[in-house]
Amino acid sequence: YANDNARNNYTKNSYSDSNIQNRQRDNAPLITVVTATHNIIKSGTIIYDNTIIGDNNIFLENNIIGTLPVLANVEYKDNKSKGVVIGNNNFFHISNKISSGYYKKTLIGNYNKFLSEIYISHDCKIGNEITFYPRVFSAGLSIFKNNCNIGAGAYIHQKCIIGSYAMVGMNCTITKNVLPFLISIGSKYTRPNTKFLPKELLNYDNILNNIIKKSNKKEDIKHEVNKLPCCYSKIFYKEYI
């Protein structure tokens, strides 16, 4: 929508009783774009059906929000769209693409930054205060926990979890989960993010290395975490599991 008036008219017309009845009679999908107040939506941005947007979000030019999801092993269906939910105070620079959910809604929290030409695939869950640098690609069903940072040009494999305060280096290909507070280059764990690491986790690096050597599967990590002292297990359950 080029301006607030266009957006408000679109939402108003979409929700009128006659409009809904006509679309139901014609078997057309209902338009359910809901926007709250003080959003800025620049020209060229497209927002698809089943999208809910909170307050104070900024969409610069040519963003595409809620485009239909397509799975490699599933036949294309133009009505298979669970939608997108976007929270408050997010910033979308130019030419980002956010896919609708296929199984559940794609979720984006609050205070996130998408810094141009980023692709977020279906059913991803994005927490709060996360920065995606330009040209990040995330495959479907990935989870980004609060306060992580994803470097420019990074590729995230489907179903990966990026833990809180973790950092992914630019141009990296991530094929395994990245545990919280770790700086990761590729699939190699380098060192803790000491800027945010709690003081009570002084031996965090050694403990993580021992866990990772055994397995990177979420179930196995959870089993190992249950053996740790309380101060460590609390961090894992809060920021990762």
Side-chain angles (χ1 to χ4, degrees):
Y1 313 107
N3 54 53
D4 285 344
N5 290 333
R7 185 191 70 238
N8 292 335
N9 289 337
Y10 182 88
T11 304
K12 179 180 178 181
N13 292 336
S14 299
Y15 275 99
S16 66
D17 291 339
S18 59
N19 182 282
I20 292 176
Q21 290 171 1
N22 290 337
R23 293 179 69 83
Q24 287 176 332
R25 184 178 61 248
D26 298 336
N27 293 321
L30 294 178
I31 298 175
T32 55
V33 175
V34 180
T35 62
T37 59
H38 304 108
N39 290 306
I40 297 174
I41 304 174
K42 295 292 187 178
S43 62
T45 290
I46 300 172
I47 301 177
Y48 282 83
D49 298 356
N50 299 326
T51 300
I52 299 174
I53 301 173
D55 298 326
N56 302 313
N57 296 286
I58 298 175
F59 300 85
L60 297 188
E61 291 79 4
N62 301 318
N63 284 283
I64 300 177
I65 309 298
T67 185
L68 290 172
V70 178
L71 279 65
N73 60 341
V74 177
E75 181 181 353
Y76 171 76
K77 297 179 181 178
D78 62 3
N79 62 346
K80 188 67 174 180
S81 174
K82 297 296 184 180
V84 178
V85 177
I86 298 175
N88 306 320
N89 301 291
N90 296 288
F91 175 77
F92 296 81
H93 199 248
I94 60 172
S95 303
N96 300 294
K97 297 177 176 66
I98 311 295
S99 287
S100 170
Y102 185 88
Y103 303 104
K104 298 180 179 179
K105 292 182 181 296
T106 298
L107 302 177
I108 297 176
N110 308 313
Y111 294 98
N112 298 296
K113 292 182 180 179
F114 300 82
L115 298 182
S116 82
E117 298 185 5
I118 292 158
Y119 180 77
I120 304 296
S121 192
H122 65 90
D123 297 279
C124 286
K125 296 180 181 180
I126 296 171
N128 305 315
E129 300 185 66
I130 300 168
T131 299
F132 293 85
Y133 288 89
R135 297 189 175 181
V136 169
F137 176 93
S138 174
L141 299 161
S142 293
I143 298 174
F144 298 85
K145 293 289 191 174
N146 298 343
N147 301 104
C148 63
N149 277 273
I150 314 300
Y155 280 72
I156 312 298
H157 193 274
Q158 66 180 3
K159 299 182 180 180
C160 281
I161 302 173
I162 310 299
S164 291
Y165 295 100
M167 298 179 68
V168 174
M170 64 181 182
N171 293 324
C172 292
T173 298
I174 300 298
T175 59
K176 296 192 261 185
N177 296 335
V178 179
L179 300 182
F181 300 103
L182 281 186
I183 297 173
S184 178
I185 299 177
S187 293
K188 180 180 179 181
Y189 299 92
T190 54
R191 62 180 176 83
N193 185 0
T194 53
K195 183 177 180 179
F196 299 104
L197 188 66
K199 293 181 179 179
E200 62 267 27
L201 303 184
L202 297 177
N203 296 319
Y204 188 74
D205 196 16
N206 291 331
I207 290 174
L208 286 177
N209 285 330
N210 290 332
I211 292 176
I212 293 165
K213 286 177 182 178
K214 294 181 179 180
S215 176
N216 192 254
K217 294 181 179 179
K218 185 175 179 179
E219 295 76 13
D220 295 337
I221 291 173
K222 185 175 180 180
H223 177 73
E224 293 298 323
V225 166
N226 287 334
K227 302 177 183 178
L228 298 177
C230 183
C231 65
Y232 294 97
S233 59
K234 280 184 177 180
I235 291 293
F236 272 90
Y237 278 97
K238 179 181 177 182
E239 310 293 359
Y240 180 78
I241 296 175

